Amino acid sequence: MTSSGAPTSAHAHSAFAPLAIRAFALLWTANVLSNTGGWMQSTGAAWEMTSLTQEPIFVALLAAAGTLPMFLFCFFAGILADRFDRRRYIIVCQVWMMGVAATLALLAYLGRLDHWSLLGLSFCMGLGNAMNAPAWHAVVPEIVSGPMLRPAIALNSAGFNLARTVGPVVGQILLGLVGVFLLFAINACTYIGVIFAMAAWRRPADAQAAHRRESFLQAARSGIAFVRGSGELKAVFARGLCFFVPGIAISTLLPVIGRFELGLDEFAFGILYAVFGAGAVAGAVLMPTLNRLLSPDRANIWAMGLHAAATLVAALVMTPWVVGGCVAFTGACWITFIANNSTAIQTILPNFMRARGMAVHQMVFFGAMVVGSLFWGKLATLFGTQPALIASAIALVPLTILAASIRLPGSSLRP
């Protein structure tokens, strides 16, 4: 969709150009606030889990509980999002997640929250995210288009990581002053903004008309057939697997690093979580320039290599300042890779297949993170956090070389 307030082509490559479109700006702002509440909750949950147990595998299970539903249910969600009105569908998902957050807040307030209920409700929150994600990604090209699509996707990722910068710091301050229940309660309230913003948006008529009247099984079969027949999609997925499985190690083990390796208090723990988001925001702002200089294809390979180097330095020099700097650097690498991969997927998919195609992309992404999280968590439990980080950095080197042999579709030329 275009807008009368859309930037001219001379400014279309600007990192902030999509914010000139009112609908995108409103949804982006509401989503940033919601994600801020989500990161307050996630950081508080991670701190709470380290209070219940010192075993790294349980921290990894908490991460896996939030991401496993993406692997299990995302394709099902993509089928629904391609068959029904995506605006109403997203609102339903937001109401579900608001209810889960409110339940967490109530249990924490009553002192009834234990590690099993925390894991179970984290899975339920992940289920809401899994059902919501394909539809959310699919509506972005309905709001922005053409040369503004790549910066719009980067802005969505930057907004997520801006929330990751602010949410953990504010959350850990409130955690020390009031308690973890307040973090969950605030997160429940933040979904209201997204619900109202989505209700205010009106989908373009051509987007609504693009829905195909297929049965559920027909939609599933056609989606699977499209993905199986697309060599370009397979190339993006293969690249993603090369990065996400080893690259998730430092994020998965961050609670263990902060709480036990560095001995941080609540506030410093929140700062450590925040610097990843700060690095990611900086990466999103710089990404259009990097893509013009290197091409998105090469920018992703550089991001993989630099991510490996930063992980290795963090493992070898385990001090707060060094680890913080390395975590920020990995955040910039992470967003560069994800935004360029997501843009490649979006440009390949037709609108009637967009939610299902993005669902498969999310399944690969989160499936790789679940496998990686459990593997690196178990390795850290058996041999220690530092050896696990070193192993992940070493594993990323040959996988970066492999990824370099797989061309990112539509990205070999500079934008």
Side-chain angles (χ1 to χ4, degrees), residues 73-97 127-139 195 198-199 201 203 211 216 355 359:
F73 302 108
C74 211
F75 186 65
F76 173 77
I79 295 172
L80 295 179
D82 276 338
R83 295 187 69 226
F84 301 110
D85 183 87
R86 291 169 185 163
R87 184 178 66 92
R88 296 177 181 176
Y89 177 86
I90 289 173
I91 291 173
V92 172
C93 293
Q94 298 293 316
V95 171
W96 166 270
M97 290 185 284
L127 176 60
N129 281 318
M131 301 304 290
N132 179 78
W136 185 269
H137 288 296
V139 300
I195 292 170
M198 189 57 66
W201 174 53
R203 293 185 72 200
H211 286 287
F216 185 88

Side-chain angles (χ1 to χ4, degrees), residues 12-15 18 24 140 144-157 284 287-288 291-292 295-297 299-300 336-347 408-415:
H13 288 306
S14 166
F24 180 82
V140 174
V144 297
S145 60
M148 285 193 296
L149 181 58
R150 191 181 299 273
I153 292 172
L155 273 173
N156 273 340
S157 297
M287 195 185 70
N291 284 342
R292 283 197 297 270
S295 84
D297 183 279
N300 273 19
T336 299
F337 191 94
I338 289 179
N340 282 331
N341 265 31
S342 296
T343 302
I345 293 287
Q346 293 278 24
T347 55
L408 188 66
S411 299
S412 57
L413 298 177
R414 291 169 178 79

Side-chain angles (χ1 to χ4, degrees), residues 16 23 34 56 71 76 105 108 141 153 170 173 180-181 193 212 229 253 276 278 285 301 304 306 308 321 378 401:
F16 301 101
S34 178
F71 178 74
F76 173 77
I153 292 172
V170 175
I173 292 173
V180 73
F181 81 91
R212 292 193 172 183
L253 298 174
F276 183 97
V285 173
I301 298 303
M304 292 178 69
L306 292 173
W321 285 103
K378 185 62 176 179
I401 297 171

